[in-house]
Amino acid sequence: MEQYEPLEIIGTGSFGLIRKVRRKTDGKILARKEIDYRRMNEKERNQLSAEFSILCELDHPNIVRYYGRHVDKINCMIYIIMEYCEGGDLSSIIKKCKKEGTFLSENTIWHFFTQILRALHECHYGYGKNKCGSNHSQQHITILHRDIKPDNVFLGSDNKLKLGDFGLSRKLNLDREFAQTYVGTPYYMSPELITESHYDVKSDIWSLGCLLYELCALQPPFQAKSQPVLAIKISAGTISPIPSRYSDELYNIIKAMLMVDPNQRPTTMELIKMLNPNKDTAYRE
Ligand SMILES: CNC(=O)c1c(C)[nH]c(/C=C2\C(=O)Nc3ccc(Cl)cc32)c1C
């Protein structure tokens, strides 16, 4: 028996649509990613399997909560059940500001940045939660999101930001092991990916820097009409100043995350300490 009443389609994620659904047992509103696996090749099916195993490891207030999955063999569909985020995605919030000619306040930007940073820190340095009963004990795992962008950050019903869509993410078993291929959004592609195509935690930091820049300037730091020109601009790493309404502190953090040399970029822990210099409180709410 179908456990969920399908409601309207609310967006598109990696591999499929996102639909609002109502759980029949208690009326709870959730989001369901709907994937037709007939159209998936072997590599995409492996990536989907990787997404499931990653979603089972993550349990954090700033990461979209995963409730489970269901395979509909008759219709060749896979459904991933996740937390509903009634505020939609950051991309829509940025578009609304541009349309209205307004800017996000510096306080709002720090509030957004702190939450996404906590989510990314959990991915990079958290401990697996094995919520799906996998047999390994809690161990340190490194999860690379690999597609951090405003379209993949959502505003939850608790007014908290949630990092979502781990459809392109990778679990690294060895800290220094590199994910071999990169498939994310070109605007946010880091310099090392243009030259070497190796992706690691510092590449997520670059994308986070691009996202923070876009929250301020309402446009990405690197833009071009063609990918070759975009690649040249990214490799040069030269960015225009953010609007003068924002502090030097904010601009300095963006510049640090957009250092062309990945070794010069801060880790999530270093960024958290920059935000809370005098506090040694746990970074997790
Ligand atoms: C116009 N659509 C929206 O405002 C919107 C709303 C109300 N929710 C969403 C998206 C999600 C949502 O509500 N929960 C999600 C879980 C995972 C992923 Cl990849 C996306 C979502 C969207 C795109």
Side-chain angles (χ1 to χ4, degrees):
M1 187 268 279
E2 173 62 55
Q3 297 176 50
Y4 300 93
E5 178 193 348
L7 302 173
E8 70 270 23
I9 289 171
I10 51 178
T12 53
S14 53
F15 303 124
L17 294 173
I18 310 284
R19 182 187 299 274
K20 185 176 178 179
V21 295
R22 178 182 290 113
R23 190 163 58 188
K24 290 179 177 174
T25 50
D26 59 1
K28 184 176 180 60
I29 297 295
L30 294 163
R32 180 173 79 178
K33 190 193 282 190
E34 303 181 347
I35 299 151
D36 178 346
Y37 59 79
R38 280 171 301 193
R39 292 188 287 130
M40 296 180 77
N41 61 34
E42 187 63 26
K43 186 178 172 189
E44 288 167 336
R45 292 186 189 192
N46 291 338
Q47 182 55 47
L48 185 62
S49 169
E51 179 179 356
F52 288 139
S53 70
I54 284 166
L55 289 168
C56 288
E57 304 285 359
L58 292 165
D59 176 20
H60 187 275
N62 298 117
I63 294 176
V64 166
R65 187 164 169 207
Y66 169 70
Y67 283 84
R69 63 177 165 180
H70 168 63
V71 180
D72 174 354
K73 290 183 179 160
I74 297 166
N75 298 303
C76 298
M77 294 293 288
I78 293 176
Y79 300 118
I80 305 178
I81 309 298
M82 297 174 283
E83 171 182 6
Y84 177 65
C85 304
E86 66 183 13
D89 62 36
L90 267 190
S91 180
S92 308
I93 291 170
I94 292 170
K95 286 189 182 95
K96 184 168 178 282
C97 285
K98 286 178 83 163
K99 188 177 171 195
E100 294 172 352
T102 58
F103 285 94
L104 293 167
S105 71
E106 176 143 349
N107 275 349
T108 298
I109 291 176
W110 282 119
H111 182 58
F112 282 177
F113 176 64
T114 303
Q115 294 181 75
I116 304 167
L117 179 60
R118 285 176 181 152
L120 194 57
H121 186 72
E122 180 68 14
C123 293
H124 288 178
Y125 301 101
Y127 283 83
K129 302 295 183 296
N130 48 70
K131 292 184 298 181
C132 308
S134 44
N135 52 11
H136 69 262
S137 61
Q138 283 218 343
Q139 58 179 3
H140 169 64
I141 50 170
T142 298
I143 291 172
L144 307 177
H145 188 278
R146 304 204 308 160
D147 199 18
I148 293 167
K149 57 183 180 179
D151 315 66
N152 283 346
V153 178
F154 307 93
L155 197 53
S157 314
D158 53 4
N159 208 30
K160 284 193 171 81
L161 280 191
K162 316 272 176 176
L163 183 58
D165 211 336
F166 287 76
L168 301 179
S169 53
R170 266 280 186 285
K171 199 192 293 186
L172 287 190
N173 298 318
L174 304 170
D175 280 354
R176 295 307 304 160
E177 175 188 322
F178 283 118
Q180 291 313 309
T181 55
Y182 177 72
V183 286
T185 307
Y187 279 128
Y188 282 19
M189 180 181 277
S190 59
E192 62 273 16
L193 290 172
I194 290 165
T195 49
E196 302 147 40
S197 84
H198 279 323
Y199 194 97
D200 80 348
V201 289
K202 293 298 185 74
S203 307
D204 272 345
I205 295 294
W206 173 276
S207 300
L208 183 60
C210 291
L211 193 153
L212 185 55
Y213 181 97
E214 188 163 351
L215 287 174
C216 298
L218 305 180
Q219 59 184 4
F222 308 102
Q223 297 182 84
K225 288 186 170 49
S226 73
Q227 290 234 15
V229 173
L230 180 63
I232 292 164
K233 290 187 174 181
I234 290 171
S235 300
T238 312
I239 59 171
S240 303
I242 58 175
S244 55
R245 62 188 329 208
Y246 299 118
S247 66
D248 289 345
E249 189 191 6
L250 189 48
Y251 190 40
N252 290 338
I253 277 207
I254 291 171
K255 286 187 287 187
M257 290 191 278
L258 295 181
M259 295 298 282
V260 171
D261 175 359
N263 298 311
Q264 290 188 37
R265 292 172 214 154
T267 62
T268 51
M269 180 50 87
E270 288 162 345
L271 285 162
I272 286 166
K273 286 180 177 163
M274 285 182 206
L275 295 182
N276 304 290
N278 307 319
K279 294 180 197 142
D280 57 356
T281 48
Y283 52 86
R284 182 176 179 142
E285 285 182 315

Coordinates of all heavy atoms in Angstrom, one line a residue, residues 154-229:
F154 N 18.7 24.6 1.4 CA 17.3 24.8 1.6 C 16.9 25.4 3.0 O 17.7 25.2 3.9 CB 16.5 23.5 1.4 CG 16.9 22.8 0.1 CD1 17.9 21.9 0.0 CD2 16.3 23.2 -1.1 CE1 18.3 21.3 -1.2 CE2 16.7 22.6 -2.3 CZ 17.7 21.7 -2.3
L155 N 15.8 26.1 3.0 CA 15.3 26.7 4.3 C 14.3 25.8 4.9 O 13.2 25.7 4.3 CB 14.8 28.1 4.0 CG 14.6 29.1 5.1 CD1 15.9 29.2 5.9 CD2 14.2 30.5 4.6
G156 N 14.6 25.3 6.1 CA 13.7 24.3 6.7 C 12.6 25.0 7.4 O 12.6 26.2 7.6
S157 N 11.6 24.1 7.9 CA 10.5 24.6 8.6 C 10.9 25.2 10.0 O 10.2 26.0 10.5 CB 9.4 23.5 8.8 OG 9.3 22.8 7.5
D158 N 12.1 24.8 10.4 CA 12.6 25.3 11.7 C 13.4 26.6 11.5 O 14.2 27.0 12.3 CB 13.4 24.2 12.4 CG 14.5 23.7 11.5 OD1 14.6 24.2 10.3 OD2 15.3 22.8 11.9
N159 N 13.3 27.1 10.2 CA 14.0 28.4 9.8 C 15.5 28.2 9.9 O 16.3 29.1 10.0 CB 13.6 29.6 10.7 CG 13.8 30.9 9.9 OD1 13.6 30.8 8.7 ND2 14.1 31.9 10.6
K160 N 16.0 26.9 9.8 CA 17.4 26.6 9.7 C 17.7 26.3 8.3 O 16.9 25.7 7.6 CB 17.7 25.4 10.6 CG 17.8 25.7 12.1 CD 18.4 24.5 12.8 CE 18.7 24.8 14.3 NZ 17.5 24.7 15.1
L161 N 18.9 26.6 7.9 CA 19.4 26.2 6.5 C 19.8 24.8 6.5 O 20.3 24.3 7.5 CB 20.6 27.1 6.1 CG 20.2 28.5 5.6 CD1 21.5 29.1 4.9 CD2 19.1 28.5 4.6
K162 N 19.5 24.1 5.4 CA 19.9 22.7 5.3 C 20.6 22.4 4.0 O 20.1 22.7 2.9 CB 18.6 21.8 5.3 CG 17.5 22.2 6.3 CD 17.6 21.6 7.6 CE 16.5 22.1 8.5 NZ 16.6 21.4 9.8
L163 N 21.8 21.8 4.2 CA 22.5 21.4 3.0 C 21.9 20.1 2.5 O 21.6 19.2 3.2 CB 24.0 21.1 3.4 CG 25.0 20.7 2.3 CD1 25.0 21.8 1.2 CD2 26.4 20.5 2.9
G164 N 21.6 20.1 1.2 CA 20.8 19.0 0.6 C 21.4 18.4 -0.6 O 22.5 18.9 -1.1
D165 N 20.8 17.5 -1.3 CA 21.2 16.9 -2.5 C 22.6 16.4 -2.5 O 23.5 17.0 -3.1 CB 20.9 17.8 -3.7 CG 20.6 16.9 -4.9 OD1 21.0 15.7 -4.9 OD2 19.9 17.3 -5.8
F166 N 22.8 15.2 -1.9 CA 24.1 14.6 -1.9 C 24.3 13.7 -3.1 O 25.0 12.7 -3.1 CB 24.3 13.9 -0.6 CG 24.5 14.8 0.6 CD1 23.5 15.5 1.1 CD2 25.8 15.0 1.1 CE1 23.7 16.4 2.2 CE2 26.0 15.9 2.1 CZ 24.9 16.6 2.7
G167 N 23.5 14.1 -4.2 CA 23.5 13.2 -5.4 C 24.8 13.1 -6.1 O 25.1 12.3 -6.9
L168 N 25.7 14.1 -5.8 CA 27.0 14.1 -6.5 C 28.2 13.9 -5.4 O 29.3 14.0 -5.7 CB 27.3 15.4 -7.2 CG 26.3 15.7 -8.3 CD1 26.6 17.0 -9.0 CD2 26.2 14.5 -9.4
S169 N 27.7 13.5 -4.2 CA 28.8 13.5 -3.1 C 29.5 12.2 -3.2 O 29.2 11.3 -3.9 CB 28.1 13.7 -1.8 OG 27.0 12.7 -1.7
R170 N 30.6 12.2 -2.4 CA 31.5 11.0 -2.4 C 32.0 10.8 -1.0 O 32.3 11.8 -0.2 CB 32.8 11.4 -3.2 CG 32.8 11.0 -4.6 CD 33.1 9.5 -4.8 NE 33.2 9.1 -6.2 CZ 32.2 9.0 -7.0 NH1 31.0 9.2 -6.6 NH2 32.4 8.6 -8.3
K171 N 32.0 9.6 -0.5 CA 32.6 9.2 0.8 C 34.1 8.8 0.5 O 34.4 8.0 -0.4 CB 31.8 8.0 1.3 CG 32.0 7.8 2.8 CD 31.5 6.5 3.3 CE 30.0 6.4 3.2 NZ 29.5 5.1 3.8
L172 N 35.0 9.5 1.3 CA 36.4 9.1 1.1 C 36.8 8.3 2.3 O 36.7 8.7 3.4 CB 37.2 10.4 1.1 CG 37.2 11.3 -0.2 CD1 38.2 12.3 -0.1 CD2 37.3 10.4 -1.4
N173 N 37.2 7.0 2.0 CA 37.6 6.2 3.1 C 39.0 6.5 3.6 O 39.3 6.5 4.8 CB 37.6 4.7 2.6 CG 36.2 4.3 2.2 OD1 35.3 4.7 2.9 ND2 36.1 3.7 1.0
L174 N 39.9 7.0 2.7 CA 41.2 7.4 3.2 C 41.2 8.9 3.1 O 40.9 9.5 2.0 CB 42.3 6.8 2.2 CG 42.2 5.3 2.1 CD1 43.2 4.9 1.0 CD2 42.6 4.7 3.4
D175 N 41.6 9.6 4.2 CA 41.5 11.0 4.2 C 42.1 11.7 3.0 O 41.5 12.6 2.5 CB 42.2 11.6 5.5 CG 41.3 11.4 6.7 OD1 40.2 11.0 6.4 OD2 41.7 11.6 7.8
R176 N 43.2 11.2 2.6 CA 43.9 12.0 1.5 C 43.5 11.4 0.1 O 44.0 11.8 -0.9 CB 45.4 11.9 1.6 CG 45.9 12.7 2.9 CD 45.4 14.1 3.0 NE 45.7 14.9 1.7 CZ 45.0 16.0 1.4 NH1 44.0 16.4 2.1 NH2 45.3 16.7 0.4
E177 N 42.6 10.4 0.2 CA 42.2 9.8 -1.1 C 41.5 10.8 -1.9 O 40.7 11.6 -1.4 CB 41.3 8.6 -0.9 CG 40.7 7.9 -2.1 CD 39.7 6.9 -1.7 OE1 39.9 6.2 -0.7 OE2 38.7 6.8 -2.4
F178 N 41.7 10.9 -3.2 CA 40.9 11.9 -4.0 C 39.8 11.2 -4.7 O 39.9 10.1 -5.2 CB 41.9 12.5 -5.1 CG 42.8 13.5 -4.5 CD1 44.2 13.3 -4.6 CD2 42.4 14.7 -3.9 CE1 45.1 14.2 -4.1 CE2 43.2 15.6 -3.4 CZ 44.6 15.4 -3.5
A179 N 38.7 12.0 -4.8 CA 37.6 11.5 -5.7 C 38.1 11.7 -7.1 O 38.7 12.7 -7.4 CB 36.4 12.3 -5.5
Q180 N 37.9 10.7 -8.0 CA 38.6 10.8 -9.3 C 37.9 11.7 -10.3 O 38.5 12.3 -11.1 CB 38.7 9.4 -9.9 CG 39.7 8.5 -9.1 CD 41.0 9.3 -8.8 OE1 41.6 9.8 -9.7 NE2 41.4 9.4 -7.5
T181 N 36.6 11.8 -10.2 CA 36.0 12.6 -11.3 C 35.2 13.7 -10.6 O 34.8 13.7 -9.5 CB 34.9 11.7 -12.0 OG1 34.0 11.2 -11.1 CG2 35.6 10.6 -12.8
Y182 N 34.9 14.8 -11.4 CA 34.2 15.9 -10.9 C 33.0 16.2 -11.8 O 33.2 16.2 -13.1 CB 35.1 17.1 -10.8 CG 34.3 18.3 -10.4 CD1 33.9 18.4 -9.1 CD2 33.9 19.3 -11.3 CE1 33.2 19.5 -8.6 CE2 33.2 20.4 -10.9 CZ 32.8 20.5 -9.5 OH 32.1 21.6 -9.1
V183 N 31.9 16.3 -11.2 CA 30.6 16.5 -12.1 C 29.8 17.7 -11.6 O 28.7 17.9 -12.0 CB 29.8 15.3 -12.0 CG1 30.4 14.2 -12.8 CG2 29.6 14.9 -10.5
G184 N 30.4 18.6 -10.8 CA 29.5 19.7 -10.2 C 29.3 20.8 -11.2 O 29.5 20.7 -12.4
T185 N 28.9 22.0 -10.6 CA 28.5 23.1 -11.3 C 29.7 23.9 -11.8 O 30.5 24.3 -11.0 CB 27.6 24.0 -10.4 OG1 26.6 23.1 -9.9 CG2 27.0 25.2 -11.1
P186 N 29.8 24.2 -13.1 CA 31.0 24.9 -13.6 C 31.3 26.2 -12.9 O 32.5 26.5 -12.7 CB 30.8 25.0 -15.1 CG 29.4 24.7 -15.3 CD 28.9 23.9 -14.2
Y187 N 30.3 27.0 -12.6 CA 30.6 28.3 -12.0 C 31.4 28.2 -10.8 O 32.3 29.0 -10.5 CB 29.3 29.0 -11.7 CG 28.6 29.7 -12.8 CD1 27.3 29.5 -13.1 CD2 29.3 30.6 -13.6 CE1 26.6 30.1 -14.2 CE2 28.7 31.2 -14.7 CZ 27.4 31.0 -15.0 OH 26.8 31.6 -16.0
Y188 N 31.1 27.1 -10.0 CA 31.7 27.0 -8.7 C 32.9 26.0 -8.8 O 33.5 25.6 -7.7 CB 30.7 26.5 -7.7 CG 29.8 27.5 -7.2 CD1 29.6 28.7 -7.8 CD2 29.1 27.3 -6.0 CE1 28.7 29.7 -7.3 CE2 28.2 28.3 -5.5 CZ 28.0 29.5 -6.2 OH 27.1 30.4 -5.7
M189 N 33.4 25.6 -10.0 CA 34.5 24.7 -10.1 C 35.8 25.3 -9.6 O 36.1 26.5 -10.0 CB 34.6 24.3 -11.6 CG 35.7 23.3 -11.9 SD 35.9 22.9 -13.6 CE 34.6 21.6 -13.7
S190 N 36.6 24.6 -8.8 CA 37.8 25.1 -8.3 C 39.0 25.0 -9.3 O 38.9 24.2 -10.2 CB 38.1 24.4 -7.0 OG 38.3 23.0 -7.2
P191 N 40.0 25.8 -9.1 CA 41.2 25.8 -10.0 C 41.8 24.4 -10.2 O 42.1 24.0 -11.3 CB 42.1 26.8 -9.4 CG 41.3 27.7 -8.6 CD 40.1 26.9 -8.1
E192 N 41.9 23.7 -9.0 CA 42.6 22.4 -9.1 C 41.8 21.4 -9.9 O 42.4 20.5 -10.5 CB 42.9 21.8 -7.7 CG 41.7 21.5 -6.8 CD 41.2 22.8 -6.0 OE1 41.6 23.9 -6.3 OE2 40.4 22.6 -5.1
L193 N 40.5 21.6 -10.0 CA 39.7 20.7 -10.8 C 40.0 21.0 -12.3 O 39.9 20.2 -13.2 CB 38.2 20.9 -10.5 CG 37.9 20.3 -9.1 CD1 36.5 20.7 -8.8 CD2 38.1 18.8 -9.1
I194 N 40.2 22.3 -12.6 CA 40.5 22.6 -14.0 C 41.8 22.0 -14.5 O 41.9 21.5 -15.6 CB 40.5 24.2 -14.2 CG1 39.0 24.7 -14.0 CG2 41.0 24.6 -15.5 CD1 38.9 26.2 -13.7
T195 N 42.8 22.0 -13.6 CA 44.1 21.5 -14.0 C 44.2 20.0 -13.8 O 44.7 19.3 -14.6 CB 45.2 22.3 -13.2 OG1 44.8 22.2 -11.8 CG2 45.3 23.7 -13.6
E196 N 43.8 19.5 -12.6 CA 44.1 18.1 -12.3 C 42.9 17.2 -12.2 O 43.0 16.0 -12.3 CB 44.8 18.0 -10.9 CG 46.0 18.8 -10.7 CD 46.1 19.3 -9.3 OE1 45.8 18.5 -8.4 OE2 46.5 20.5 -9.1
S197 N 41.7 17.7 -12.0 CA 40.5 17.0 -11.8 C 40.5 16.1 -10.5 O 39.7 15.2 -10.4 CB 40.2 16.1 -13.0 OG 40.9 14.8 -12.9
H198 N 41.4 16.5 -9.6 CA 41.3 15.9 -8.3 C 40.4 16.7 -7.4 O 40.5 18.0 -7.4 CB 42.7 15.8 -7.6 CG 43.5 14.6 -8.1 ND1 42.9 13.4 -8.4 CD2 44.8 14.5 -8.4 CE1 43.9 12.6 -8.8 NE2 45.0 13.2 -8.8
Y199 N 39.5 16.1 -6.6 CA 38.6 16.9 -5.8 C 38.8 16.5 -4.3 O 38.9 15.3 -4.0 CB 37.2 16.6 -6.2 CG 36.1 17.5 -5.6 CD1 35.7 18.6 -6.4 CD2 35.6 17.3 -4.3 CE1 34.7 19.5 -5.9 CE2 34.7 18.2 -3.8 CZ 34.3 19.3 -4.6 OH 33.3 20.2 -4.0
D200 N 39.0 17.4 -3.4 CA 39.1 17.0 -2.0 C 38.4 18.1 -1.2 O 37.7 19.0 -1.7 CB 40.5 16.8 -1.6 CG 41.3 18.1 -1.3 OD1 40.7 19.1 -1.6 OD2 42.4 18.0 -0.8
V201 N 38.6 18.0 0.2 CA 37.8 18.9 1.0 C 38.0 20.4 0.7 O 37.0 21.2 0.7 CB 38.1 18.7 2.5 CG1 37.6 17.3 3.0 CG2 39.6 18.8 2.8
K202 N 39.2 20.7 0.2 CA 39.4 22.2 -0.1 C 38.7 22.6 -1.3 O 38.5 23.8 -1.5 CB 40.9 22.4 -0.3 CG 41.8 22.2 1.0 CD 41.3 23.2 2.1 CE 42.2 23.1 3.3 NZ 43.5 23.7 3.2
S203 N 38.2 21.7 -2.2 CA 37.4 22.1 -3.3 C 36.0 22.4 -2.9 O 35.4 23.3 -3.4 CB 37.4 20.9 -4.3 OG 38.7 20.5 -4.6
D204 N 35.5 21.7 -1.8 CA 34.2 22.1 -1.2 C 34.3 23.5 -0.6 O 33.4 24.3 -0.7 CB 33.8 21.2 -0.1 CG 33.0 19.9 -0.6 OD1 32.5 20.0 -1.8 OD2 32.9 19.0 0.1
I205 N 35.5 23.8 0.0 CA 35.7 25.1 0.6 C 35.7 26.2 -0.5 O 35.1 27.3 -0.3 CB 37.1 25.2 1.4 CG1 37.1 24.2 2.6 CG2 37.4 26.6 1.8 CD1 36.1 24.5 3.7
W206 N 36.3 26.0 -1.6 CA 36.2 26.9 -2.8 C 34.7 27.2 -3.1 O 34.3 28.4 -3.2 CB 37.0 26.4 -4.0 CG 36.8 27.2 -5.2 CD1 35.8 27.1 -6.1 CD2 37.7 28.2 -5.7 NE1 36.0 28.1 -7.1 CE2 37.2 28.7 -6.9 CE3 39.0 28.7 -5.2 CZ2 37.8 29.7 -7.6 CZ3 39.6 29.7 -6.0 CH2 39.0 30.2 -7.1
S207 N 33.9 26.1 -3.3 CA 32.5 26.3 -3.6 C 31.8 27.1 -2.6 O 30.9 27.9 -2.9 CB 31.9 24.9 -3.8 OG 32.5 24.2 -4.9
L208 N 32.1 26.8 -1.3 CA 31.5 27.6 -0.2 C 31.9 29.0 -0.3 O 31.0 29.9 -0.1 CB 31.9 27.0 1.2 CG 31.3 27.6 2.4 CD1 29.8 27.5 2.4 CD2 31.9 27.0 3.7
G209 N 33.1 29.3 -0.7 CA 33.5 30.7 -0.9 C 32.7 31.4 -2.0 O 32.3 32.5 -1.9
C210 N 32.5 30.6 -3.1 CA 31.7 31.1 -4.2 C 30.3 31.4 -3.8 O 29.7 32.5 -4.1 CB 31.7 30.1 -5.4 SG 33.2 29.9 -6.2
L211 N 29.7 30.5 -2.9 CA 28.4 30.7 -2.4 C 28.3 31.9 -1.5 O 27.4 32.8 -1.7 CB 27.9 29.4 -1.7 CG 26.4 29.3 -1.4 CD1 26.0 27.9 -1.2 CD2 26.0 30.1 -0.1
L212 N 29.2 32.1 -0.6 CA 29.2 33.3 0.3 C 29.4 34.6 -0.5 O 28.7 35.5 -0.3 CB 30.4 33.2 1.3 CG 30.4 34.2 2.4 CD1 29.1 34.3 3.1 CD2 31.6 34.0 3.3
Y213 N 30.2 34.5 -1.6 CA 30.4 35.7 -2.4 C 29.0 36.0 -3.1 O 28.6 37.2 -3.1 CB 31.4 35.4 -3.5 CG 31.7 36.6 -4.5 CD1 32.7 37.5 -4.2 CD2 30.8 36.9 -5.5 CE1 33.0 38.6 -5.1 CE2 31.0 37.9 -6.4 CZ 32.1 38.8 -6.2 OH 32.3 39.9 -7.0
E214 N 28.3 35.0 -3.6 CA 27.1 35.2 -4.3 C 26.0 35.7 -3.4 O 25.1 36.5 -3.8 CB 26.6 33.9 -5.0 CG 25.4 34.1 -5.9 CD 25.2 33.0 -6.9 OE1 26.0 32.1 -7.1 OE2 24.1 33.1 -7.6
L215 N 26.0 35.3 -2.1 CA 25.0 35.9 -1.1 C 25.2 37.4 -1.0 O 24.3 38.1 -0.7 CB 25.2 35.2 0.3 CG 24.7 33.7 0.4 CD1 25.1 33.1 1.7 CD2 23.2 33.6 0.1
C216 N 26.5 37.8 -1.1 CA 26.8 39.3 -1.0 C 26.5 40.0 -2.3 O 25.8 41.0 -2.3 CB 28.2 39.5 -0.6 SG 28.7 38.7 1.0
A217 N 27.0 39.5 -3.3 CA 27.0 40.2 -4.6 C 25.8 39.9 -5.5 O 25.5 40.5 -6.5 CB 28.3 40.0 -5.4
L218 N 25.1 38.9 -5.1 CA 23.9 38.3 -5.8 C 24.3 37.9 -7.2 O 23.4 37.8 -8.1 CB 22.8 39.4 -5.9 CG 22.3 40.0 -4.5 CD1 21.2 41.0 -4.7 CD2 21.8 38.9 -3.6
Q219 N 25.5 37.6 -7.4 CA 26.0 36.9 -8.6 C 27.3 36.1 -8.3 O 28.0 36.5 -7.3 CB 26.3 37.9 -9.7 CG 27.3 39.0 -9.4 CD 27.4 40.0 -10.5 OE1 26.7 40.0 -11.5 NE2 28.4 40.9 -10.4
P220 N 27.6 35.1 -9.0 CA 28.8 34.3 -8.7 C 30.1 35.1 -8.9 O 30.1 36.1 -9.7 CB 28.8 33.1 -9.7 CG 27.4 33.1 -10.3 CD 26.9 34.5 -10.2
P221 N 31.2 34.8 -8.2 CA 32.4 35.5 -8.4 C 33.1 35.4 -9.7 O 33.8 36.3 -10.2 CB 33.3 34.9 -7.3 CG 32.8 33.6 -7.0 CD 31.3 33.7 -7.3
F222 N 32.8 34.3 -10.4 CA 33.4 34.1 -11.7 C 32.3 33.8 -12.7 O 31.5 32.8 -12.5 CB 34.4 32.9 -11.7 CG 35.5 33.0 -10.6 CD1 35.3 32.3 -9.4 CD2 36.5 33.9 -10.7 CE1 36.2 32.5 -8.4 CE2 37.5 34.1 -9.7 CZ 37.3 33.4 -8.5
Q223 N 32.3 34.6 -13.8 CA 31.2 34.4 -14.8 C 31.9 34.6 -16.2 O 32.8 35.3 -16.3 CB 30.1 35.4 -14.7 CG 29.3 35.3 -13.3 CD 28.2 36.3 -13.3 OE1 27.1 36.0 -13.8 NE2 28.5 37.4 -12.6
A224 N 31.3 33.8 -17.2 CA 31.8 34.0 -18.5 C 30.8 33.4 -19.5 O 29.9 32.6 -19.0 CB 33.2 33.3 -18.7
K225 N 30.9 33.8 -20.7 CA 29.9 33.3 -21.7 C 30.3 31.9 -22.2 O 29.5 31.2 -22.9 CB 29.8 34.3 -22.9 CG 29.0 35.6 -22.5 CD 28.8 36.4 -23.7 CE 27.8 37.6 -23.4 NZ 28.2 38.4 -22.2
S226 N 31.5 31.5 -21.9 CA 32.0 30.2 -22.4 C 32.8 29.5 -21.3 O 33.4 30.2 -20.5 CB 32.9 30.3 -23.7 OG 34.1 30.8 -23.3
Q227 N 32.8 28.2 -21.3 CA 33.6 27.4 -20.3 C 35.1 27.7 -20.4 O 35.7 27.9 -19.3 CB 33.3 25.9 -20.4 CG 31.8 25.6 -20.0 CD 31.7 24.5 -19.0 OE1 32.7 24.2 -18.3 NE2 30.5 24.0 -18.8
P228 N 35.7 27.8 -21.6 CA 37.1 28.1 -21.6 C 37.5 29.4 -20.9 O 38.4 29.5 -20.1 CB 37.5 28.1 -23.1 CG 36.4 27.3 -23.7 CD 35.2 27.5 -22.9
V229 N 36.7 30.5 -21.2 CA 36.9 31.8 -20.6 C 36.7 31.7 -19.1 O 37.4 32.2 -18.2 CB 36.0 32.9 -21.2 CG1 36.2 34.2 -20.5 CG2 36.4 33.0 -22.7

